[in-house]
């Protein structure tokens, strides 16, 4: 059989709400052309993010009912800790309410003025937390990682020579840790090879720099290694994941991704000194170390979700369903970032709207068009998210102008995706009609969440 099917059936359903084009025109204008400001009920297919939008399994819901809500020393915490220690091998496991809480805690331990923290590509909240602490966040993707048309197996890799050069340049004493994001979300959900993890580890060891892995999508990354990297075809995804973890001095995770839950995360460390500092910050800002700002039932759901994410039938379906969307779009001529990533398809807005300059936000224009066309919510990852304007008014954009269509885990069926394909192809055929936007309001950090726009 060549059709890969969903390895589950549906037990519980949630209606989605249809709107007319006239209604959507009004909603998007009211939202200042920023889809983060829409009411979710006015969205038909929500591909804004794969974060916390997972459909939980019956086992996870049963775990929710079994959660032990003790403030301290909850049974659910010990279950969660056991699963994580067994999987990651790290000595200390600190639960947090979501990924950025782990980032905030890590940055309050190691960040600060004069420090430099490299990554293959920093996720937006990671960059924001580093910069908020006064430190500098540096992206070191491999060259092909910023070239949307290039097809390569591990475009998420870090440029190891650039890492060496950066350490030489700023001095190892100013690099408190090196991060490596698996998969590389801002770089297109592209995987990092085991060889690259090993090579980055070697550079870190040589300079005495701790390596902290951002493992939001560790299971998808491990599955890509199994499918693409020599020597791993017959290794289980769990063992591949364990090997990845073995090269880190710690890891942080938003479990809203491969933790298969609606909220949660953790910071895991081998250093007892760092763990103690982290727990001190945790108690002040998040909660007691056996719940970290979560309901204990959430820890129960996470413990089960982390196991389910490693199921190879699930991962086969997951990667295939994202690839299916990419293949269909490509066949229709729509420019996408290739090859398809693990959790999302990224439209290449630079090529799709080559008549709109980066300073006029071509990606945001496509995002608005997809909503108007079919009630689909996507997100711009380009000049809105990462662009800056210098004092002389000149626009500085990132390497790529992308529109991300993130696929929530276990939520949409193939016919939902077929509808999305139709809508994108319609917008693509009328792309010359799209116009740019002007930003009329922006916050000092993470401006994309709350920015306002006007159409040009
Ligand atoms: C989502 C994400 C984060 C932040 O996690 P939140 O749960 O959204 O706070 C950090 N890094 C990566 C790679 C992510 O995808």
């Amino acid at each position: 059989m060549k059709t890969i099917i969903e390895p589950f059936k549906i037990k519980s359903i949630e209606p989605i709400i249809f709107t007319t084009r006239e209604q959507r025109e009004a909603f998007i204008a009211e939202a200042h052309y920023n889809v983060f400001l829409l009411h979710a009920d006015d969205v038909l297919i929500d591909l804004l993010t794969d974060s916390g939008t997972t459909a939980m399994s019956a086992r996870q819901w049963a775990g929710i009912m079994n959660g032990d809500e003790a403030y301290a020393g909850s049974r659910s915490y010990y279950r969660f800790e056991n699963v994580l220690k067994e999987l990651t091998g790290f000595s200390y496991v600190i639960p947090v309410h979501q990924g950025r809480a782990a980032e905030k805690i890590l940055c309050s331990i190691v960040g600060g003025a004069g420090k430099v923290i490299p990554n293959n590509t920093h996720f937006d909240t990671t960059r924001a937390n580093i910069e908020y602490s006064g430190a500098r966040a540096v992206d070191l993707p491999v060259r092909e990682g910023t070239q949307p048309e290039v097809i390569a197996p591990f475009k998420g890799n870090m440029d190891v020579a650039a890492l060496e050069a950066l350490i030489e340049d700023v001095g190892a004493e100013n690099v408190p840790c090196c991060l490596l994001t698996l998969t590389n979300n801002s770089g297109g959900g592209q995987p990092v090879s085991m060889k690259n993890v090993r090579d980055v580890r070697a550079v870190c060891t040589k300079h005495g720099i701790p390596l902290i892995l951002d493992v939001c999508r560790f299971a998808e990354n491990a599955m890509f290694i199994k499918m693409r990297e020599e020597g791993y075809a017959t290794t289980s995804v769990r063992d591949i994941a364990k090997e990845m973890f073995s090269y880190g001095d710690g890891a942080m995770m938003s479990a809203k991704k491969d933790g298969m839950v609606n909220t949660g995360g953790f910071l895991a460390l081998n250093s007892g000194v760092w763990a103690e500092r982290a727990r001190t910050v945790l108690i002040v800002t998040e909660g007691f170390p056996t719940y970290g700002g979560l309901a204990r039932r959430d820890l129960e759901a996470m413990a089960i979700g982390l196991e389910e994410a490693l199921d190879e039938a699930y991962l086969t379906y997951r990667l295939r369903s994202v690839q299916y969307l990419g293949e269909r779009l490509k066949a229709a001529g729509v420019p996408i970032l290739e090859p398809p990533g693990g959790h999302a398809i990224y439209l290449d807005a630079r090529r799709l709207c080559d008549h709109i300059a980066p300073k006029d936000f071509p990606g945001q224009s496509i995002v608005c068009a997809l909503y108007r066309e079919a009630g689909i919510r996507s997100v711009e990852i380009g000049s809105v998210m990462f662009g800056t304007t210098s004092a002389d008014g000149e626009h500085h954009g990132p390497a790529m102008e992308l529109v991300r269509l993130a696929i929530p885990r276990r939520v949409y069926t193939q016919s939902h995706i077929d509808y999305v394909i139709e809508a994108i192809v319609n917008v693509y055929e009328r792309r010359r009609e799209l116009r740019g936007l002007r930003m009329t309001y922006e916050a000092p950090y993470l401006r994309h969440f709350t920015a306002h726009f006007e159409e040009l």
Side-chain angles (χ1 to χ4, degrees):
M1 299 297 293
K2 71 178 197 315
T3 304
I4 292 167
I5 59 170
E6 287 84 352
F8 51 81
K9 55 189 177 173
I10 296 166
K11 191 194 274 287
S12 182
I13 61 107
E14 184 182 358
I16 51 178
I17 299 166
F18 291 84
T19 51
T20 64
R21 183 182 285 268
E22 288 67 36
Q23 286 175 316
R24 292 192 295 273
E25 287 289 351
F27 294 143
I28 193 73
E30 273 166 43
H32 303 280
Y33 302 96
N34 182 345
V35 289
F36 280 103
L37 305 180
L38 288 169
H39 291 230
D41 273 355
D42 301 331
V43 173
L44 187 65
I45 308 267
D46 203 347
L47 308 183
L48 180 71
T49 177
D50 64 323
S51 177
T53 52
T54 302
M56 290 209 295
S57 67
R59 270 183 71 221
Q60 285 176 295
W61 284 111
I64 292 265
M65 287 306 294
N66 272 323
D68 166 18
E69 295 302 333
Y71 186 99
S74 157
R75 176 183 68 234
S76 301
Y77 169 74
Y78 290 112
R79 174 166 189 196
F80 164 79
E81 188 192 39
N82 282 340
V83 165
L84 271 170
K85 281 191 171 170
E86 201 279 322
L87 175 62
T88 68
F90 296 122
S91 312
Y92 304 95
V93 178
I94 297 164
V96 293
H97 79 276
Q98 64 179 91
R100 72 197 70 181
E103 294 167 350
K104 171 85 173 84
I105 291 170
L106 183 72
C107 289
S108 63
I109 301 173
V110 305
K115 303 284 193 235
V116 179
I117 301 180
N119 202 335
N120 42 354
T121 311
H122 288 281
F123 182 63
D124 58 355
T125 61
T126 321
R127 171 173 288 279
N129 270 299
I130 291 169
E131 291 175 350
Y132 192 77
S133 82
R136 185 153 69 92
V138 179
D139 290 340
L140 303 173
V142 287
R143 207 173 135 72
E144 65 265 28
T146 56
Q147 298 167 326
E149 336 66 72
V150 175
I151 298 182
F154 293 104
K155 290 175 76 172
N157 284 354
M158 179 182 272
D159 182 336
V160 180
L163 175 64
E164 276 278 13
L166 176 80
I167 297 169
E168 288 292 309
D169 184 35
V170 303
E173 67 283 7
N174 294 316
V175 184
C177 68
C178 175
L179 302 179
L180 191 62
T181 306
L182 321 167
T183 59
N184 190 337
N185 183 4
S186 305
Q190 299 292 317
V192 175
S193 70
M194 193 72 86
K195 177 176 186 311
N196 192 245
V197 183
R198 241 182 263 126
D199 291 347
V200 170
R201 167 79 262 171
V203 173
C204 289
T205 303
K206 180 174 150 201
H207 295 280
I209 296 169
L211 174 62
I212 306 293
L213 305 171
D214 178 338
V215 294
C216 292
R217 297 179 183 79
F218 76 99
E220 290 170 6
N221 201 87
M223 188 68 186
F224 276 123
I225 288 177
K226 184 181 175 95
M227 290 168 14
R228 295 180 184 172
E229 191 162 352
E230 212 185 311
Y232 289 96
T234 59
T235 313
S236 73
V237 167
R238 172 182 293 274
D239 285 343
I240 294 172
K242 283 184 170 181
E243 184 182 341
M244 282 168 7
F245 286 118
S246 74
Y247 300 122
D249 296 292
M252 47 185 185
M253 179 175 188
S254 168
K256 297 168 74 174
K257 288 57 174 271
D258 277 353
M260 313 289 270
V261 288
N262 303 122
T263 200
F266 63 83
L267 175 62
L269 296 164
N270 275 338
S271 157
V273 176
W274 282 22
E276 199 195 318
R277 286 191 211 152
R279 284 186 172 137
T280 305
V281 181
L282 184 84
I283 290 180
V284 176
T285 59
E286 289 274 300
F288 191 71
T290 60
Y291 73 86
L294 292 160
R296 276 54 71 197
R297 54 181 174 269
D298 294 329
L299 298 172
E300 198 81 38
M302 234 194 300
I304 298 165
L306 286 163
E307 300 285 347
E308 291 182 354
L310 289 166
D311 172 31
E312 296 187 18
Y314 158 72
L315 285 167
T316 303
Y317 139 78
R318 170 77 178 153
L319 298 188
R320 176 61 198 143
S321 55
V322 174
Q323 187 191 30
Y324 171 82
L325 169 59
E327 273 174 14
R328 290 296 172 98
L329 292 176
K330 192 181 171 189
V334 180
I336 62 167
L337 191 155
E338 293 193 78
H343 68 291
I345 289 297
Y346 296 68
L347 306 179
D348 183 357
R350 206 184 274 280
R351 276 186 289 160
L352 206 154
C353 278
D354 56 10
H355 61 293
I356 304 179
K359 72 169 177 45
D360 297 331
F361 309 124
Q364 191 68 16
S365 178
I366 296 167
V367 167
C368 292
L370 283 177
Y371 177 70
R372 284 183 163 120
E373 176 74 16
I376 296 164
R377 179 154 68 170
S378 54
V379 69
E380 195 261 15
I381 300 196
S383 282
V384 174
M385 195 178 271
F386 293 118
T388 52
T389 311
S390 50
D392 59 1
E394 202 182 328
H395 172 79
H396 300 276
M400 296 190 279
E401 299 290 337
L402 303 173
V403 170
R404 186 183 73 181
L405 306 151
I407 312 299
R409 292 168 181 75
R410 307 189 289 206
V411 171
Y412 293 117
T413 64
Q414 186 171 343
S415 48
H416 289 121
I417 297 300
D418 285 335
Y419 171 91
V420 169
I421 293 163
E422 244 176 82
I424 295 172
V425 171
N426 287 348
V427 167
Y428 176 67
E429 283 168 356
R430 296 199 315 273
R431 63 193 177 280
R432 294 286 149 210
E433 294 166 21
L434 299 185
R435 286 168 297 146
L437 299 121
R438 172 174 44 241
M439 198 180 283
T440 56
Y441 162 74
E442 64 176 297
Y445 291 96
L446 298 172
R447 66 178 185 172
H448 51 286
F449 285 129
T450 52
H452 292 178
F453 301 88
E454 270 169 17
E455 295 197 291
L456 290 173

